[in-house]
Amino acid sequence: MLLLFVSSLPTCAGTLASDIPVSDSPVMVLPVSQTCAGAPWPNIVWVHVHDNEETARQTALHALRQIQQGCLLDLRHGGSREISIHNNQVSYQFDPNRIFTPKGRQSALKCRQGDCVTAIVQLSHAADQFLSQYLVQKQLIVAVHNNHPDGLSVRNYMAGGTMAPAMSQVAISSDSNPHDFFYVTTQQAFNYLASRNFNVVLQNNQHVHDDGSLSVWAAQQQIDYINVEAGTGHSSAQMAMLAAIWAYMQQYYL
Ligand SMILES: [Zn+2]
């Protein structure tokens, strides 16, 4: 339980509930580091939010170095999946991919101790600040994730699977490992990637559960969002997927 990206600066009064003294509410910012391999793309960014998913981080950085352009936004917070905040007012914890909508962050925030009203205010401010600084102006967001052998796979999204109701379409590639799949929010991305023989899942943007994940927020904003999801250690598969993303970017956005 390390960390605390907390300063003593007062937060913007407009974001606070009226019963919270502004001067006692420290700012919490998400622990973003940005690595650029050349000129940033004005309309595209790549994102890595789960600090324990090292294959995805290394593969994305390797791909960007080959492309020699673009940036990876990377949340770094001690190597764990969840972010823990501990300051003199409150202790809380959250999954960083569940905080991008107001509804999502309400259920994602696990407040351990202290002023939990302040915690949600801090978290909302930090998430909104991250979105407005880095993502809201983009046309395409590429997220990179990893899953475990007993965890998520494309099978979860097939008919009868646990995640099936929130999906519009699923394409299965007999040549791909079920743990290596794209999760997309636009028909354009689905068609492009499915036609190249990858596993692809198209989110149903009307019926998807608002769990605060970046895919839900991006759909609300009508931003093309692609999660490049691969099994832990599947570096070459994830690299091939990112090569397809680079081709997709050049076709539609660059
Ligand atoms: Zn992840």
Side-chain angles (χ1 to χ4, degrees), residues 179-202:
H179 289 277
D180 305 333
F181 63 95
F182 293 103
Y183 181 102
V184 306
T185 63
T186 66
Q187 190 75 50
Q188 171 182 280
F190 180 87
N191 292 348
Y192 185 92
L193 296 165
S195 74
R196 280 154 183 79
N197 198 28
F198 291 101
N199 294 319
V200 194
V201 176
L202 176 59

PDB file of all heavy atoms in Angstrom, residues 179-202:
ATOM      1  N   HIS A 179      -7.196 -16.389 -25.640  1.00  0.00           N
ATOM      2  CA  HIS A 179      -6.822 -15.290 -24.737  1.00  0.00           C
ATOM      3  C   HIS A 179      -6.307 -14.061 -25.480  1.00  0.00           C
ATOM      4  O   HIS A 179      -6.128 -13.013 -24.860  1.00  0.00           O
ATOM      5  CB  HIS A 179      -5.779 -15.770 -23.722  1.00  0.00           C
ATOM      6  CG  HIS A 179      -6.350 -16.706 -22.712  1.00  0.00           C
ATOM      7  ND1 HIS A 179      -7.023 -16.265 -21.590  1.00  0.00           N
ATOM      8  CD2 HIS A 179      -6.406 -18.053 -22.668  1.00  0.00           C
ATOM      9  CE1 HIS A 179      -7.446 -17.303 -20.889  1.00  0.00           C
ATOM     10  NE2 HIS A 179      -7.084 -18.412 -21.528  1.00  0.00           N
ATOM     11  N   ASP A 180      -6.069 -14.206 -26.769  1.00  0.00           N
ATOM     12  CA  ASP A 180      -5.564 -13.090 -27.568  1.00  0.00           C
ATOM     13  C   ASP A 180      -6.709 -12.562 -28.423  1.00  0.00           C
ATOM     14  O   ASP A 180      -7.133 -13.217 -29.386  1.00  0.00           O
ATOM     15  CB  ASP A 180      -4.410 -13.553 -28.463  1.00  0.00           C
ATOM     16  CG  ASP A 180      -3.287 -14.212 -27.656  1.00  0.00           C
ATOM     17  OD1 ASP A 180      -3.136 -13.876 -26.466  1.00  0.00           O
ATOM     18  OD2 ASP A 180      -2.590 -15.078 -28.219  1.00  0.00           O
ATOM     19  N   PHE A 181      -7.238 -11.407 -28.068  1.00  0.00           N
ATOM     20  CA  PHE A 181      -8.392 -10.877 -28.809  1.00  0.00           C
ATOM     21  C   PHE A 181      -8.443  -9.357 -28.721  1.00  0.00           C
ATOM     22  O   PHE A 181      -7.897  -8.745 -27.814  1.00  0.00           O
ATOM     23  CB  PHE A 181      -9.703 -11.490 -28.292  1.00  0.00           C
ATOM     24  CG  PHE A 181     -10.036 -11.166 -26.860  1.00  0.00           C
ATOM     25  CD1 PHE A 181     -10.876 -10.097 -26.556  1.00  0.00           C
ATOM     26  CD2 PHE A 181      -9.519 -11.921 -25.816  1.00  0.00           C
ATOM     27  CE1 PHE A 181     -11.189  -9.793 -25.238  1.00  0.00           C
ATOM     28  CE2 PHE A 181      -9.820 -11.617 -24.495  1.00  0.00           C
ATOM     29  CZ  PHE A 181     -10.655 -10.556 -24.200  1.00  0.00           C
ATOM     30  N   PHE A 182      -9.116  -8.784 -29.712  1.00  0.00           N
ATOM     31  CA  PHE A 182      -9.408  -7.347 -29.699  1.00  0.00           C
ATOM     32  C   PHE A 182     -10.804  -7.133 -29.134  1.00  0.00           C
ATOM     33  O   PHE A 182     -11.730  -7.879 -29.464  1.00  0.00           O
ATOM     34  CB  PHE A 182      -9.377  -6.774 -31.120  1.00  0.00           C
ATOM     35  CG  PHE A 182      -8.032  -6.761 -31.774  1.00  0.00           C
ATOM     36  CD1 PHE A 182      -7.708  -7.712 -32.739  1.00  0.00           C
ATOM     37  CD2 PHE A 182      -7.089  -5.791 -31.456  1.00  0.00           C
ATOM     38  CE1 PHE A 182      -6.464  -7.695 -33.371  1.00  0.00           C
ATOM     39  CE2 PHE A 182      -5.848  -5.768 -32.078  1.00  0.00           C
ATOM     40  CZ  PHE A 182      -5.540  -6.718 -33.033  1.00  0.00           C
ATOM     41  N   TYR A 183     -10.937  -6.103 -28.333  1.00  0.00           N
ATOM     42  CA  TYR A 183     -12.250  -5.678 -27.832  1.00  0.00           C
ATOM     43  C   TYR A 183     -12.461  -4.263 -28.359  1.00  0.00           C
ATOM     44  O   TYR A 183     -11.703  -3.351 -28.021  1.00  0.00           O
ATOM     45  CB  TYR A 183     -12.239  -5.713 -26.307  1.00  0.00           C
ATOM     46  CG  TYR A 183     -13.542  -5.318 -25.642  1.00  0.00           C
ATOM     47  CD1 TYR A 183     -14.393  -6.294 -25.130  1.00  0.00           C
ATOM     48  CD2 TYR A 183     -13.917  -3.986 -25.521  1.00  0.00           C
ATOM     49  CE1 TYR A 183     -15.589  -5.943 -24.515  1.00  0.00           C
ATOM     50  CE2 TYR A 183     -15.108  -3.631 -24.918  1.00  0.00           C
ATOM     51  CZ  TYR A 183     -15.929  -4.614 -24.413  1.00  0.00           C
ATOM     52  OH  TYR A 183     -17.114  -4.260 -23.808  1.00  0.00           O
ATOM     53  N   VAL A 184     -13.474  -4.066 -29.225  1.00  0.00           N
ATOM     54  CA  VAL A 184     -13.602  -2.796 -29.944  1.00  0.00           C
ATOM     55  C   VAL A 184     -14.988  -2.194 -29.745  1.00  0.00           C
ATOM     56  O   VAL A 184     -15.923  -2.878 -29.326  1.00  0.00           O
ATOM     57  CB  VAL A 184     -13.311  -2.984 -31.456  1.00  0.00           C
ATOM     58  CG1 VAL A 184     -11.967  -3.648 -31.664  1.00  0.00           C
ATOM     59  CG2 VAL A 184     -14.404  -3.786 -32.150  1.00  0.00           C
ATOM     60  N   THR A 185     -15.101  -0.908 -30.060  1.00  0.00           N
ATOM     61  CA  THR A 185     -16.376  -0.200 -29.876  1.00  0.00           C
ATOM     62  C   THR A 185     -16.982   0.295 -31.182  1.00  0.00           C
ATOM     63  O   THR A 185     -18.033   0.925 -31.152  1.00  0.00           O
ATOM     64  CB  THR A 185     -16.187   1.015 -28.938  1.00  0.00           C
ATOM     65  OG1 THR A 185     -15.280   1.933 -29.558  1.00  0.00           O
ATOM     66  CG2 THR A 185     -15.662   0.601 -27.576  1.00  0.00           C
ATOM     67  N   THR A 186     -16.305   0.056 -32.302  1.00  0.00           N
ATOM     68  CA  THR A 186     -16.871   0.515 -33.579  1.00  0.00           C
ATOM     69  C   THR A 186     -16.925  -0.631 -34.587  1.00  0.00           C
ATOM     70  O   THR A 186     -16.057  -1.514 -34.609  1.00  0.00           O
ATOM     71  CB  THR A 186     -16.035   1.666 -34.210  1.00  0.00           C
ATOM     72  OG1 THR A 186     -14.746   1.164 -34.591  1.00  0.00           O
ATOM     73  CG2 THR A 186     -15.879   2.836 -33.249  1.00  0.00           C
ATOM     74  N   GLN A 187     -17.945  -0.544 -35.438  1.00  0.00           N
ATOM     75  CA  GLN A 187     -18.098  -1.540 -36.510  1.00  0.00           C
ATOM     76  C   GLN A 187     -16.896  -1.484 -37.455  1.00  0.00           C
ATOM     77  O   GLN A 187     -16.436  -2.518 -37.951  1.00  0.00           O
ATOM     78  CB  GLN A 187     -19.394  -1.247 -37.283  1.00  0.00           C
ATOM     79  CG  GLN A 187     -19.795  -2.344 -38.250  1.00  0.00           C
ATOM     80  CD  GLN A 187     -20.381  -3.558 -37.533  1.00  0.00           C
ATOM     81  OE1 GLN A 187     -21.265  -3.423 -36.715  1.00  0.00           O
ATOM     82  NE2 GLN A 187     -19.867  -4.744 -37.839  1.00  0.00           N
ATOM     83  N   GLN A 188     -16.374  -0.288 -37.678  1.00  0.00           N
ATOM     84  CA  GLN A 188     -15.217  -0.119 -38.559  1.00  0.00           C
ATOM     85  C   GLN A 188     -14.028  -0.948 -38.083  1.00  0.00           C
ATOM     86  O   GLN A 188     -13.395  -1.668 -38.863  1.00  0.00           O
ATOM     87  CB  GLN A 188     -14.837   1.364 -38.596  1.00  0.00           C
ATOM     88  CG  GLN A 188     -13.534   1.677 -39.296  1.00  0.00           C
ATOM     89  CD  GLN A 188     -13.205   3.159 -39.236  1.00  0.00           C
ATOM     90  OE1 GLN A 188     -13.747   3.939 -40.007  1.00  0.00           O
ATOM     91  NE2 GLN A 188     -12.318   3.545 -38.336  1.00  0.00           N
ATOM     92  N   ALA A 189     -13.728  -0.852 -36.796  1.00  0.00           N
ATOM     93  CA  ALA A 189     -12.594  -1.612 -36.251  1.00  0.00           C
ATOM     94  C   ALA A 189     -12.892  -3.105 -36.253  1.00  0.00           C
ATOM     95  O   ALA A 189     -12.023  -3.930 -36.558  1.00  0.00           O
ATOM     96  CB  ALA A 189     -12.289  -1.133 -34.830  1.00  0.00           C
ATOM     97  N   PHE A 190     -14.133  -3.453 -35.924  1.00  0.00           N
ATOM     98  CA  PHE A 190     -14.509  -4.879 -35.922  1.00  0.00           C
ATOM     99  C   PHE A 190     -14.292  -5.476 -37.310  1.00  0.00           C
ATOM    100  O   PHE A 190     -13.656  -6.531 -37.459  1.00  0.00           O
ATOM    101  CB  PHE A 190     -15.972  -5.054 -35.488  1.00  0.00           C
ATOM    102  CG  PHE A 190     -16.405  -6.490 -35.472  1.00  0.00           C
ATOM    103  CD1 PHE A 190     -16.206  -7.274 -34.339  1.00  0.00           C
ATOM    104  CD2 PHE A 190     -16.982  -7.075 -36.600  1.00  0.00           C
ATOM    105  CE1 PHE A 190     -16.575  -8.618 -34.332  1.00  0.00           C
ATOM    106  CE2 PHE A 190     -17.343  -8.414 -36.601  1.00  0.00           C
ATOM    107  CZ  PHE A 190     -17.145  -9.180 -35.457  1.00  0.00           C
ATOM    108  N   ASN A 191     -14.810  -4.818 -38.330  1.00  0.00           N
ATOM    109  CA  ASN A 191     -14.718  -5.365 -39.687  1.00  0.00           C
ATOM    110  C   ASN A 191     -13.256  -5.482 -40.135  1.00  0.00           C
ATOM    111  O   ASN A 191     -12.855  -6.493 -40.717  1.00  0.00           O
ATOM    112  CB  ASN A 191     -15.478  -4.459 -40.670  1.00  0.00           C
ATOM    113  CG  ASN A 191     -16.977  -4.495 -40.427  1.00  0.00           C
ATOM    114  OD1 ASN A 191     -17.481  -5.342 -39.686  1.00  0.00           O
ATOM    115  ND2 ASN A 191     -17.697  -3.568 -41.023  1.00  0.00           N
ATOM    116  N   TYR A 192     -12.490  -4.450 -39.843  1.00  0.00           N
ATOM    117  CA  TYR A 192     -11.089  -4.442 -40.275  1.00  0.00           C
ATOM    118  C   TYR A 192     -10.309  -5.597 -39.643  1.00  0.00           C
ATOM    119  O   TYR A 192      -9.594  -6.333 -40.315  1.00  0.00           O
ATOM    120  CB  TYR A 192     -10.448  -3.100 -39.909  1.00  0.00           C
ATOM    121  CG  TYR A 192      -9.039  -2.927 -40.406  1.00  0.00           C
ATOM    122  CD1 TYR A 192      -8.794  -2.330 -41.641  1.00  0.00           C
ATOM    123  CD2 TYR A 192      -7.944  -3.370 -39.659  1.00  0.00           C
ATOM    124  CE1 TYR A 192      -7.501  -2.180 -42.116  1.00  0.00           C
ATOM    125  CE2 TYR A 192      -6.655  -3.232 -40.129  1.00  0.00           C
ATOM    126  CZ  TYR A 192      -6.435  -2.634 -41.359  1.00  0.00           C
ATOM    127  OH  TYR A 192      -5.151  -2.500 -41.835  1.00  0.00           O
ATOM    128  N   LEU A 193     -10.461  -5.751 -38.332  1.00  0.00           N
ATOM    129  CA  LEU A 193      -9.654  -6.740 -37.608  1.00  0.00           C
ATOM    130  C   LEU A 193     -10.179  -8.158 -37.802  1.00  0.00           C
ATOM    131  O   LEU A 193      -9.398  -9.109 -37.918  1.00  0.00           O
ATOM    132  CB  LEU A 193      -9.593  -6.368 -36.125  1.00  0.00           C
ATOM    133  CG  LEU A 193      -8.884  -5.016 -35.880  1.00  0.00           C
ATOM    134  CD1 LEU A 193      -9.165  -4.502 -34.474  1.00  0.00           C
ATOM    135  CD2 LEU A 193      -7.391  -5.127 -36.147  1.00  0.00           C
ATOM    136  N   ALA A 194     -11.501  -8.308 -37.868  1.00  0.00           N
ATOM    137  CA  ALA A 194     -12.067  -9.648 -38.103  1.00  0.00           C
ATOM    138  C   ALA A 194     -11.665 -10.162 -39.482  1.00  0.00           C
ATOM    139  O   ALA A 194     -11.390 -11.352 -39.657  1.00  0.00           O
ATOM    140  CB  ALA A 194     -13.584  -9.607 -37.959  1.00  0.00           C
ATOM    141  N   SER A 195     -11.588  -9.255 -40.466  1.00  0.00           N
ATOM    142  CA  SER A 195     -11.229  -9.683 -41.824  1.00  0.00           C
ATOM    143  C   SER A 195      -9.759 -10.104 -41.913  1.00  0.00           C
ATOM    144  O   SER A 195      -9.343 -10.715 -42.893  1.00  0.00           O
ATOM    145  CB  SER A 195     -11.512  -8.563 -42.830  1.00  0.00           C
ATOM    146  OG  SER A 195     -10.533  -7.546 -42.708  1.00  0.00           O
ATOM    147  N   ARG A 196      -8.986  -9.756 -40.889  1.00  0.00           N
ATOM    148  CA  ARG A 196      -7.580 -10.161 -40.853  1.00  0.00           C
ATOM    149  C   ARG A 196      -7.339 -11.357 -39.940  1.00  0.00           C
ATOM    150  O   ARG A 196      -6.237 -11.605 -39.484  1.00  0.00           O
ATOM    151  CB  ARG A 196      -6.703  -8.973 -40.455  1.00  0.00           C
ATOM    152  CG  ARG A 196      -6.474  -8.072 -41.662  1.00  0.00           C
ATOM    153  CD  ARG A 196      -6.183  -6.641 -41.308  1.00  0.00           C
ATOM    154  NE  ARG A 196      -6.054  -5.859 -42.546  1.00  0.00           N
ATOM    155  CZ  ARG A 196      -7.092  -5.418 -43.262  1.00  0.00           C
ATOM    156  NH1 ARG A 196      -8.339  -5.666 -42.876  1.00  0.00           N
ATOM    157  NH2 ARG A 196      -6.897  -4.730 -44.374  1.00  0.00           N
ATOM    158  N   ASN A 197      -8.400 -12.077 -39.677  1.00  0.00           N
ATOM    159  CA  ASN A 197      -8.304 -13.365 -38.986  1.00  0.00           C
ATOM    160  C   ASN A 197      -7.821 -13.261 -37.542  1.00  0.00           C
ATOM    161  O   ASN A 197      -7.003 -14.047 -37.078  1.00  0.00           O
ATOM    162  CB  ASN A 197      -7.419 -14.337 -39.791  1.00  0.00           C
ATOM    163  CG  ASN A 197      -7.640 -15.781 -39.374  1.00  0.00           C
ATOM    164  OD1 ASN A 197      -8.719 -16.131 -38.913  1.00  0.00           O
ATOM    165  ND2 ASN A 197      -6.605 -16.599 -39.494  1.00  0.00           N
ATOM    166  N   PHE A 198      -8.343 -12.260 -36.829  1.00  0.00           N
ATOM    167  CA  PHE A 198      -8.116 -12.177 -35.387  1.00  0.00           C
ATOM    168  C   PHE A 198      -9.423 -12.484 -34.645  1.00  0.00           C
ATOM    169  O   PHE A 198     -10.505 -12.402 -35.227  1.00  0.00           O
ATOM    170  CB  PHE A 198      -7.678 -10.750 -34.999  1.00  0.00           C
ATOM    171  CG  PHE A 198      -6.305 -10.375 -35.482  1.00  0.00           C
ATOM    172  CD1 PHE A 198      -6.131  -9.573 -36.608  1.00  0.00           C
ATOM    173  CD2 PHE A 198      -5.178 -10.814 -34.794  1.00  0.00           C
ATOM    174  CE1 PHE A 198      -4.868  -9.211 -37.044  1.00  0.00           C
ATOM    175  CE2 PHE A 198      -3.906 -10.452 -35.233  1.00  0.00           C
ATOM    176  CZ  PHE A 198      -3.751  -9.653 -36.355  1.00  0.00           C
ATOM    177  N   ASN A 199      -9.293 -12.813 -33.368  1.00  0.00           N
ATOM    178  CA  ASN A 199     -10.460 -12.836 -32.483  1.00  0.00           C
ATOM    179  C   ASN A 199     -10.854 -11.388 -32.199  1.00  0.00           C
ATOM    180  O   ASN A 199     -10.003 -10.592 -31.779  1.00  0.00           O
ATOM    181  CB  ASN A 199     -10.119 -13.507 -31.149  1.00  0.00           C
ATOM    182  CG  ASN A 199      -9.793 -14.974 -31.268  1.00  0.00           C
ATOM    183  OD1 ASN A 199     -10.445 -15.702 -32.026  1.00  0.00           O
ATOM    184  ND2 ASN A 199      -8.788 -15.432 -30.524  1.00  0.00           N
ATOM    185  N   VAL A 200     -12.129 -11.075 -32.404  1.00  0.00           N
ATOM    186  CA  VAL A 200     -12.581  -9.697 -32.171  1.00  0.00           C
ATOM    187  C   VAL A 200     -13.958  -9.708 -31.512  1.00  0.00           C
ATOM    188  O   VAL A 200     -14.832 -10.482 -31.909  1.00  0.00           O
ATOM    189  CB  VAL A 200     -12.693  -8.876 -33.482  1.00  0.00           C
ATOM    190  CG1 VAL A 200     -12.813  -7.386 -33.166  1.00  0.00           C
ATOM    191  CG2 VAL A 200     -11.527  -9.126 -34.417  1.00  0.00           C
ATOM    192  N   VAL A 201     -14.122  -8.838 -30.540  1.00  0.00           N
ATOM    193  CA  VAL A 201     -15.398  -8.658 -29.863  1.00  0.00           C
ATOM    194  C   VAL A 201     -15.834  -7.213 -30.058  1.00  0.00           C
ATOM    195  O   VAL A 201     -15.050  -6.292 -29.826  1.00  0.00           O
ATOM    196  CB  VAL A 201     -15.244  -8.926 -28.347  1.00  0.00           C
ATOM    197  CG1 VAL A 201     -16.538  -8.637 -27.618  1.00  0.00           C
ATOM    198  CG2 VAL A 201     -14.778 -10.351 -28.096  1.00  0.00           C
ATOM    199  N   LEU A 202     -17.089  -7.024 -30.519  1.00  0.00           N
ATOM    200  CA  LEU A 202     -17.643  -5.668 -30.677  1.00  0.00           C
ATOM    201  C   LEU A 202     -18.598  -5.387 -29.522  1.00  0.00           C
ATOM    202  O   LEU A 202     -19.608  -6.077 -29.354  1.00  0.00           O
ATOM    203  CB  LEU A 202     -18.384  -5.548 -32.013  1.00  0.00           C
ATOM    204  CG  LEU A 202     -19.114  -4.225 -32.287  1.00  0.00           C
ATOM    205  CD1 LEU A 202     -18.167  -3.020 -32.269  1.00  0.00           C
ATOM    206  CD2 LEU A 202     -19.855  -4.288 -33.631  1.00  0.00           C
TER     207      LEU A 202
END
